């Protein structure tokens, strides 16, 4: 019972919520993304807590996304630090 007591203390209940209603935040689950610049190259939405994508699928998407990026000089980060 201690667990539920702690959950209730740290979980805000919106004003006006009726018994049996589910707060919006409870319905949000996690996900996994591979991004390339401003584009989402891969997206996985968890269907339930503890759900996760196939890691081989995620790594394959990351490898594909990495191949589409123009290679930069190994010292490219210096250009950001010391603009011309």
């Amino acid at each position: 019972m201690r667990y539920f007591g702690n959950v209730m203390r740290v979980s805000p209940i919106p004003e006006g919520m009726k018994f049996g209603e589910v707060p919006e935040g409870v319905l949000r689950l996690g996900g996994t993304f591979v991004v390339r610049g401003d584009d989402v190259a891969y997206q996985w939405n968890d269907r339930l807590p503890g759900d996760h994508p196939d890691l081989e699928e995620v790594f394959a998407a990351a490898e594909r996304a990495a191949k589409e990026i123009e290679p930069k000089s190994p010292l490219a980060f210096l250009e950001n630090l010391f603009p011309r």
Side-chain angles (χ1 to χ4, degrees):
M1 194 64 176
R2 186 174 180 189
Y3 170 80
F4 290 110
N6 289 338
V7 168
M8 293 306 292
R9 255 195 320 275
V10 299
S11 302
I13 299 174
E15 217 170 290
M17 177 161 279
K18 296 181 176 112
F19 181 76
E21 292 180 336
V22 179
E24 180 184 344
V26 172
L27 301 175
R28 294 186 184 157
L29 297 170
T32 303
F33 297 88
V34 173
V35 294
R36 180 185 54 250
D38 292 334
D39 298 324
V40 176
Y42 175 87
Q43 177 179 346
W44 166 275
N45 298 322
D46 293 350
R47 295 169 289 214
L48 50 102
D51 196 15
H52 56 84
D54 177 2
L55 290 179
E56 288 182 18
E57 193 175 308
V58 176
F59 291 142
E63 287 175 355
R64 285 191 305 274
K67 288 179 183 176
E68 295 175 12
I69 296 174
E70 290 184 32
K72 292 184 178 181
S73 156
L75 302 177
F77 72 95
L78 291 174
E79 293 174 10
N80 294 331
L81 294 175
F82 306 103
R84 295 177 192 200

